[in-house]
C-alpha cells in the first residue's frame, strides 16, 4: 500500500522540488569551471533574521567591513539608509555585537554626530557584493567600495566635485554597548581609535578594539567631536572624528583601517604588515583567496539556483571563526593578558552550541590546517584563562546558550586527527570541564549544573534560579542540558578510550546513558525534573518546558550516541517511525514538500522555538533529526526530509533558514547537499543520503586526508530519482547507512545509484549507525 501511494505522489515531488534538483546542462557544467566567486550572493540571509552581512571579508578574517543599516546585528535588506561601514560583524548571530568604528563619507558641513541622523540613503539597484568586495551608490552622489585583508579593511570613496568631501569615523557608536572610546588624529593622513564595549545577548564584556586608519592623501581639514559638540581643528576627542578632502580635481579617496584586540601597537603593526596596497590590489587578492577556497569543492549538475545557493553556503561556512591574533602572533587572552601564539594562528569567536553540529566537521574536512589551529586556540583559552569556553566573543566569555558544546567540538578535532601533538593537553582541559565547574572568580559557567548531574544523573530545572554569572543558566534549561551533557560525555568517552584512559572512558560512557533519567513513561517523552527528582512543568511535549530553544518533540532525537536505546524507550522501531512521521508531517511532505517545509515546519519567525510538535529546520536541536531514519530502518525517508529542507535555502535575501550562527546552517546545507552528514557530532560517523548533484569533487589536504580527494557521484539525481538504490565505495558495494572518518581518509570515490522508488538499501539492522559504548 505504501509503495503504491508513494508512486502516485512522486509527480507532486517532481513539481514541487524541481527547483532543487534538475538535469544538468552543458552551460552549467562549463560555468563550474569559471569563477566560483561569481556564484556567491552575499546578500542571502540579510532579510528575515538570517542576520548575515553583505560586506567584505576574507576567509576567517579578523575584519568584516560591511554596511550597518540600523538592524541590531548590522544589515537588514529591507532598510534603506546606511549609518556607516564598520569593521566587525558576525555572520548570522541573533544578538547585538560588533559594528566597531562605523565610517561614512559625506559632503558639506559636519553638524551631526549621531549616525542615525547623518545616515545616507541608498537603493539596492545601485548596490552589489561578491566575496571580498562591496559597492554602493549613496543618494548623496558618493560611491563607496569596500574590500579587506585578514586584519585590515580598505575603503574607496568616489565623491562629487566639492571642497567639503568628508569621511566620518564614529568611535562612540557601534552595534554593541559602547562603554568608552577615544579618537586621535595623528598626522595629516592618519586617525587612531580605541573602543571599549560590551553586550551580546547579555551584558557581558568588556573588550577593547584598537584601530588605525591611513588615508591615501592628506586632509585639507579635520576635527573631532564629543557628544553633539563638533570642534574643527581638534586632534583628539571621545566621540569621533571627521577628515576632509578637496575633490574638485581627484575625486577618489582610499583608506586602510587595521584592527587589533591587543593594543595600539598591534593595530599599527597589522597596518604595516597588510597595508600599503591599493584598493584594487587588495580586492584582487581577496577574490583570489575566495576563489581558491571555493575551488576545494567542484559540483556538476543541478540548477543555476541550486549552484548559487550551494556556493553561497560554502562561502558563509568560511567566514568564522576569526583570526584573533596580530601579524606578530600576539593575542589578548582570556586572562586579560597578552600572549604570543607559537606555531599556530590564534582564532576567536566561538558559537559552539551551534557550530559543533555541522561547521566544525565541514572545516575539519575542507580546511583542516585552519581547523587544527582553531582547536589549538580553544585549548589555549583554557590554558590562559583557566576554563574552556562556552560562547566566546573576542577575548571574553558570554556564557550564551547551555549544555557542554565545547566537548563535541574538540572531540571532533580529535577524531579528525587535528589534535596530534597536544591530545593530552586537550584531554586534560576536557576532563576538568566534564567533572567540575569553573571557580567563582572565573567568568565562565561551564557545565553549571554538573554537581547535580553527576550525583543524580540529571540537571535540575529551576526557572527562577538567579543567574550566578552573566549569560544563560543551565538550570533554566535542565531537560535539554541533561541531553547535551550526556551527548558530550559519550563523545569524551570515545576520546578517553582512544588515548588509553580506560577508567575515564567507562565512567563517561556510563554517564552518557543518563538521558534516560529524564524520560517520562507517562508521556513517552523527555521531561524536565526539579531538584527533588519530580517531573515538573506541563506534560505537553510541545510546550518546551525546561528545553533551550525547542520542545520535547524536537529534542527527542538528540541522542546520537544511543539511538537504539532511545528507540527502545519510546516503544521500538515501529513506534519511533510513527513518531518521526508525525514529527516531519511526512504524509503532507510527500504531497507537497516545499509547502510543508515553509508552512508546517517553519511555524513562525527565526525565533519561534516553542509550542510546536513538528520539525524546526531553523534551529540547532533539530539539525541531526532527519538522519534518525538511518537508525530505524527507513533511510529513504531521510532523503525525503533532507531534500525538502534544502528547498528552504534559496539565492535571495530571504534564502536562509533562521540565523546562520557563524556558518552552522550554511554548513548543514553544504554537507546535506553532498550527501555526507556528521550524525554523531563529536565522533567520526558520517551518515549517507542522496546528493543533490550528479558529481561533487572534494580537494582534500593530504596531510590530514591521505586520499587527497574524494569524488561523490549520483548520476541522474533529481526530484523524481532521489532514492538510493545502492552505494559503492572505491568500487565495492557498501550496505551501511554511514561511513567512518577512518574509511573516508583513504577513500577516493563514493558512488550512489539512484532511482524513483525506495529500495532495500540500508534497511537491515546491521546497516544502522553504531551505538557508542
Amino acid at each position: 500500500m505504501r509503495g503504491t501511494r508513494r508512486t502516485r505522489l512522486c509527480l507532486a515531488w517532481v513539481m514541487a522540488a524541481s527547483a532543487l534538483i534538475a538535469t544538468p546542462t552543458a552551460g552549467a557544467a562549463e560555468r563550474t569551471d569559471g569563477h566560483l566567486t561569481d556564484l556567491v550572493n552575499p546578500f542571502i540571509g540579510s532579510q528575515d533574521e538570517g542576520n548575515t552581512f553583505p560586506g567584505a571579508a576574507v576567509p576567517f578574517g579578523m575584519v568584516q567591513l560591511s554596511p550597518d543599516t540600523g538592524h541590531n546585528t548590522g544589515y537588514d535588506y529591507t532598510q534603506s539608509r546606511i549609518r556607516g561601514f564598520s569593521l566587525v560583524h558576525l555572520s548570522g548571530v541573533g544578538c547585538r555585537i560588533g559594528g566597531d568604528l562605523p565610517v561614512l563619507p559625506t559632503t558639506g558641513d559636519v553638524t551631526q554626530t549621531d549616525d542615525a541622523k547623518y545616515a545616507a540613503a541608498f537603493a539596492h539597484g545601485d548596490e552589489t557584493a561578491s566575496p571580498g568586495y562591496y559597492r554602493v551608490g549613496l543618494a548623496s552622489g558618493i560611491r563607496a567600495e569596500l574590500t579587506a585583508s585578514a586584519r585590515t579593511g580598505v575603503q574607496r570613496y568616489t565623491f562629487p566635485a566639492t571642497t567639503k568631501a568628508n569621511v566620518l569615523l564614529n568611535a562612540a557608536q557601534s552595534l554593541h554597548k559602547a562603554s568608552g572610546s577615544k579618537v586621535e588624529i595623528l598626522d595629516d593622513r592618519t586617525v587612531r581609535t580605541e573602543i571599549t564595549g560590551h553586550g551580546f545577548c547579555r551584558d557581558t564584556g568588556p573588550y577593547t578594539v584598537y584601530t588605525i586608519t591611513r588615508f591615501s592623501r592628506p586632509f585639507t581639514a579635520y576635527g573631532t567631536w564629543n557628544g553633539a559638540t563638533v570642534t574643527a581643528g581638534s586632534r583628539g576627542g571621545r566621540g569621533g572624528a571627521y577628515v576632509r578632502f578637496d575633490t574638485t580635481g581627484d575625486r577618489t579617496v582610499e583608506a586602510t583601517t587595521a584592527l587589533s584586540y591587543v593594543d595600539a601597537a598591534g593595530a599599527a603593526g597589522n597596518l604595516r604588515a597588510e597595508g600599503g596596497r591599493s584598493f584594487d590590489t587588495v580586492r584582487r587578492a581577496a577574490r583570489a583567496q575566495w576563489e581558491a577556497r571555493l575551488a576545494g569543492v567542484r559540483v556538476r549538475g543541478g540548477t543555476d539556483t541550486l549552484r548559487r545557493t550551494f556556493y553561497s553556503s560554502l562561502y558563509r561556512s568560511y567566514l568564522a571563526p576569526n583570526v584573533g591574533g596580530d601579524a606578530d602572533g600576539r593575542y589578548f587572552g582570556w586572562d586579560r593578558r597578552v600572549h604570543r601564539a607559537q606555531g599556530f594562528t590564534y582564532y576567536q569567536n566561538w558559537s559552539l552550541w551551534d557550530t559543533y553540529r555541522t561547521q566544525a566537521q565541514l572545516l575539519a574536512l575542507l580546511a583542516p590546517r585552519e581547523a587544527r589551529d582553531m582547536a589549538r586556540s580553544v585549548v589555549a583559552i583554557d590554558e590562559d584563562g583557566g576554563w574552556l569556553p562556552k560562547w566566546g566573543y573576542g577575548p571574553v566569555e558570554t556564557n550564551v546558550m547551555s549544555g557542554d558544546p565545547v566537548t563535541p567540538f574538540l572531540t571532533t578535532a580529535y577524531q579528525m586527527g587535528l589534535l596530534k601533538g597536544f591530545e593530552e593537553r586537550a584531554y586534560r582541559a576536557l576532563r576538568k570541564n566534564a567533572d567540575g565547574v569553573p571557580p567563582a572568580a572565573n567568568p565562565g559557567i561551564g557545565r553549571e549544573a554538573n554537581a547535580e548531574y553527576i550525583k543524580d544523573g540529571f540537571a535540575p530545572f529551576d526557572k527562577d534560579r538567579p543567574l550566578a554569572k552573566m549569560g544563560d543558566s543551565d538550570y533554566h534549561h535542565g531537560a535539554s542540558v541533561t541531553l547535551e551533557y550526556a551527548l558530550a560525555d559519550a563523545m569524551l568517552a570515545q576520546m578517553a578510550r582512544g588515548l588509553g584512559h580506560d577508567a575515564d572512558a567507562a565512567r563517561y560512557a556510563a554517564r552518557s546513558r543518563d538521558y534516560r533519567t529524564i524520560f517520562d513513561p507517562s508521556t513517552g517523552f523527555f521531561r524536565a525534573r526539579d531538584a527533588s527528582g519530580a517531573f515538573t512543568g506541563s506534560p505537553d511535549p510541545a510546550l518546551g518546558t525546561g528545553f533551550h530553544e525547542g520542545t520535547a518533540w524536537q529534542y527527542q532525537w538528540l541522542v546520537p550516541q544511543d539511538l537504539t536505546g532511545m528507540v527502545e524507550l519510546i516503544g521500538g522501531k515501529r513506534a519511533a517511525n510513527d513518531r518521526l512521521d508525525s514529527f516531519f508531517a511526512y504524509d503532507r511532505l510527500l504531497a507537497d514538500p516545499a509547502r510543508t517545509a515553509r508552512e508546517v515546519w517553519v511555524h513562525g519567525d527565526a525565533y519561534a522555538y516553542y509550542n510546536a510538535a513538528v520539525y524546526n529546520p531553523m534551529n540547532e536541536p533539530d539539525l541531526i533529526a532527519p538522519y534518525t531514519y538511518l537508525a530505524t530502518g527507513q533511510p529513504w525517508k531521510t532523503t525525503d526530509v533532507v531534500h525538502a529542507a534544502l528547498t528552504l535555502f534559496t539565492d535571495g535575501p530571504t534564502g536562509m533558514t533562521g540565523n546562520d550562527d557563524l556558518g552552522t546552517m550554511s554548513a548543514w546545507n553544504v554537507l546535506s547537499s553532498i550527501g555526507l552528514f556528521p550524525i554523531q557530532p563529536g565522533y567520526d560517523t558520517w551518515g549517507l543520503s542522496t546528493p543533490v548533484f550528479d558529481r561533487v569533487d572534494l580537494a582534500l589536504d593530504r596531510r590530514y586526508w591521505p586520499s587527497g580527494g574524494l569524488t561523490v557521484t549520483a548520476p541522474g539525481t533529481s526530484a523524481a530519482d532521489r532514492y538510493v538504490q545502492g552505494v559503492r565505495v572505491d568500487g565495492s558495494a557498501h550496505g551501511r547507512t554511514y561511513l567512518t572518518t577512518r574509511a573516508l581518509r583513504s577513500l577516493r570515490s563514493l558512488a550512489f545509484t539512484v532511482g524513483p522508488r525506495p529500495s532495500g538499501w540500508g534497511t537491515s539492522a546491521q546497516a544502522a549507525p553504531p551505538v557508542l559504548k
Side-chain angles (χ1 to χ4, degrees), residues 282-306:
V282 177
R283 179 187 175 186
R284 285 193 297 269
R287 181 178 174 88
Q289 286 187 58
W290 279 115
E291 194 67 37
R293 188 67 65 176
L294 297 174
V297 184
R298 293 276 184 176
V299 304
R300 294 185 180 273
T303 64
D304 288 347
T305 297
L306 179 61

Side-chain angles (χ1 to χ4, degrees), residues 534-551:
F535 289 112
T536 185
S538 171
D540 185 346
L543 292 183
T545 304
F547 293 88
H548 203 168
E549 294 190 3
T551 68

Side-chain angles (χ1 to χ4, degrees), residues 365 415-416 676 683-686 688 700 704-711 727-730 732 734 736 738-750:
L365 183 67
Q415 297 295 343
M416 295 290 200
L676 275 173
Y683 194 49
D684 70 346
T685 315
W686 300 79
L688 303 178
L700 304 178
Y704 300 92
W705 301 95
S707 69
L710 173 65
T711 296
V727 174
R728 302 188 76 83
V729 294
D730 283 343
S732 299
H734 183 80
R736 293 181 176 177
Y738 68 95
L739 286 168
T740 65
T741 299
R742 177 177 296 180
L744 279 177
R745 287 193 191 286
S746 58
L747 194 64
R748 298 299 303 272
S749 69
L750 173 62

Side-chain angles (χ1 to χ4, degrees), residues 351-361 409 661-664:
S351 183
L352 295 173
W353 188 80
D354 311 285
T355 60
Y356 88 78
R357 308 164 198 261
T358 58
Q359 194 226 21
Q361 292 82 0
F409 173 83
D661 287 319
L662 294 192
T664 298

Side-chain angles (χ1 to χ4, degrees), residues 77 197 377 593 644:
Y77 195 82
S377 299

Side-chain angles (χ1 to χ4, degrees), residues 66-151:
S66 189
D68 297 324
T69 61
H71 188 264
N72 71 313
T73 63
Y75 184 92
D76 181 348
Y77 195 82
T78 64
Q79 300 188 29
S80 59
R81 289 166 61 83
I82 292 175
R83 298 185 180 197
F85 306 104
S86 62
L87 287 171
V88 178
H89 298 83
L90 295 185
S91 181
V93 297
C95 297
R96 183 184 301 274
I97 200 66
D100 300 288
L101 194 63
V103 175
L104 191 71
T106 68
T107 58
D109 294 328
V110 178
T111 59
Q112 292 287 349
T113 62
D114 183 348
D115 62 13
K117 295 179 179 178
Y118 63 66
F122 76 105
H124 294 306
D126 196 9
E127 183 187 38
T128 188
S130 62
Y133 177 71
Y134 173 88
R135 180 195 61 77
V136 66
L138 305 177
S140 59
I142 302 169
R143 183 174 70 235
E145 298 173 273
L146 313 176
T147 189
S149 67
R151 299 174 181 86

Side-chain angles (χ1 to χ4, degrees), residues 175-388:
L175 299 176
H176 59 74
K177 301 175 183 177
S179 59
S181 58
K182 180 172 67 173
V183 60
E184 302 171 87
I185 298 176
L186 299 182
D187 55 40
D188 64 356
R189 291 176 184 242
T190 313
V191 180
R192 183 168 64 193
T193 72
E194 179 179 322
I195 301 166
T196 299
H198 55 106
F200 202 50
C201 297
R202 305 290 185 270
D203 194 11
T204 53
Y207 60 92
T208 300
V209 293
Y210 304 85
T211 79
I212 187 164
T213 302
R214 180 75 173 172
F215 288 83
S216 61
R217 48 195 288 200
F219 316 141
T220 58
Y222 54 83
T224 64
W225 66 78
N226 293 306
T229 303
V230 180
T231 305
S234 169
R235 287 185 173 270
R238 294 287 178 183
Y242 73 88
V243 295
R244 179 168 293 162
F245 305 90
D246 183 343
T247 58
T248 55
D250 182 358
R251 295 173 54 196
T252 300
V253 175
E254 295 187 6
T256 301
T257 302
L259 173 67
S260 172
Y261 288 84
V262 177
D263 53 26
N270 291 339
L271 184 63
R272 288 191 300 272
E274 299 182 16
R277 298 178 293 168
S278 71
F279 182 93
D280 287 331
T281 299
V282 177
R283 179 187 175 186
R284 285 193 297 269
R287 181 178 174 88
Q289 286 187 58
W290 279 115
E291 194 67 37
R293 188 67 65 176
L294 297 174
V297 184
R298 293 276 184 176
V299 304
R300 294 185 180 273
T303 64
D304 288 347
T305 297
L306 179 61
R307 292 156 58 76
R308 286 193 297 268
T309 302
F310 177 84
Y311 278 107
S312 297
S313 289
L314 185 60
Y315 160 78
R316 289 190 302 273
S317 299
Y318 290 133
L319 287 171
N322 306 105
V323 171
D326 290 339
D328 63 3
R330 295 187 308 148
Y331 67 90
F332 194 65
W334 284 38
D335 55 357
R336 319 301 293 175
R337 296 179 179 178
V338 177
H339 301 266
R340 190 180 299 272
Q342 300 288 348
F344 72 102
T345 297
Y346 182 78
Y347 289 89
Q348 60 189 19
N349 299 337
W350 306 104
S351 183
L352 295 173
W353 188 80
D354 311 285
T355 60
Y356 88 78
R357 308 164 198 261
T358 58
Q359 194 226 21
Q361 292 82 0
L362 182 65
L363 295 188
L365 183 67
L366 299 179
R369 283 180 292 175
E370 291 84 357
R372 172 181 169 82
D373 284 359
M374 291 167 188
R376 177 69 186 83
S377 299
V378 168
V379 174
I381 289 173
D382 171 80
E383 294 174 345
D384 296 341
W387 213 266
L388 289 168

Side-chain angles (χ1 to χ4, degrees), residues 441-703:
N442 189 286
I445 62 169
R447 290 170 56 144
E448 185 185 18
N450 221 12
E452 295 91 336
Y453 170 77
I454 293 172
K455 174 177 175 289
D456 302 321
F458 64 90
F461 169 60
D462 183 355
K463 66 181 178 62
D464 297 320
R465 187 183 182 99
L467 291 174
K469 300 174 184 178
M470 294 308 302
D472 288 309
S473 172
D474 283 0
Y475 291 104
H476 295 173
H477 313 284
S480 59
V481 162
T482 299
L483 297 176
E484 299 269 12
Y485 285 4
L487 184 157
D489 282 339
M491 305 312 161
L492 187 55
Q494 305 309 308
M495 182 178 179
R497 186 169 293 115
L499 293 175
H501 302 295
D502 293 339
D504 283 353
R507 182 162 53 91
Y508 294 133
R511 279 170 28 180
S512 76
R513 301 294 183 264
D514 283 344
Y515 71 87
R516 297 170 178 266
T517 65
I518 62 167
F519 183 77
D520 183 356
S522 70
T523 64
F525 284 88
F526 296 126
R527 193 173 170 196
R529 298 175 68 173
D530 64 21
S532 73
F535 289 112
T536 185
S538 171
D540 185 346
L543 292 183
T545 304
F547 293 88
H548 203 168
E549 294 190 3
T551 68
W553 269 100
Q554 291 154 1
Y555 273 92
Q556 178 73 66
W557 321 107
L558 194 64
V559 192
Q561 71 272 24
D562 186 23
L563 284 177
T564 297
M566 184 273 291
V567 166
E568 290 173 352
L569 283 180
I570 61 179
K573 286 186 178 180
R574 183 171 182 176
N577 282 323
D578 287 344
R579 187 174 291 188
L580 283 164
D581 290 351
S582 173
F583 180 64
F584 291 115
Y586 188 69
D587 285 345
R588 297 177 65 176
L589 170 68
L590 285 180
D592 194 337
R595 185 173 182 179
T596 301
R598 293 195 175 277
E599 297 183 8
V600 180
W601 294 350
V602 178
H603 52 272
D605 64 24
Y607 306 108
Y609 302 129
Y610 302 107
N611 303 318
V614 293
Y615 175 48
N616 184 350
M618 303 190 299
N619 204 31
E620 281 73 12
D622 279 357
L623 292 181
I624 313 172
Y627 294 89
T628 306
Y629 284 119
L630 301 183
T632 62
Q634 297 184 334
W636 68 89
K637 292 183 177 179
T638 287
T639 291
D640 288 334
V641 174
V642 167
H643 284 205
L646 287 170
T647 67
L648 295 169
F649 294 85
T650 65
D651 64 348
T654 61
M656 277 296 305
T657 172
N659 298 159
D660 196 25
D661 287 319
L662 294 192
T664 298
M665 304 308 295
S666 292
W668 188 94
N669 183 22
V670 170
L671 290 162
S672 294
S673 296
I674 292 172
L676 275 173
F677 191 85
I679 55 175
Q680 292 180 315
Y683 194 49
D684 70 346
T685 315
W686 300 79
L688 303 178
S689 65
T690 307
V692 300
F693 298 106
D694 277 17
R695 176 172 174 151
V696 181
D697 290 294
L698 306 176
L700 304 178
D701 189 330
R702 288 186 182 277
R703 284 171 290 185

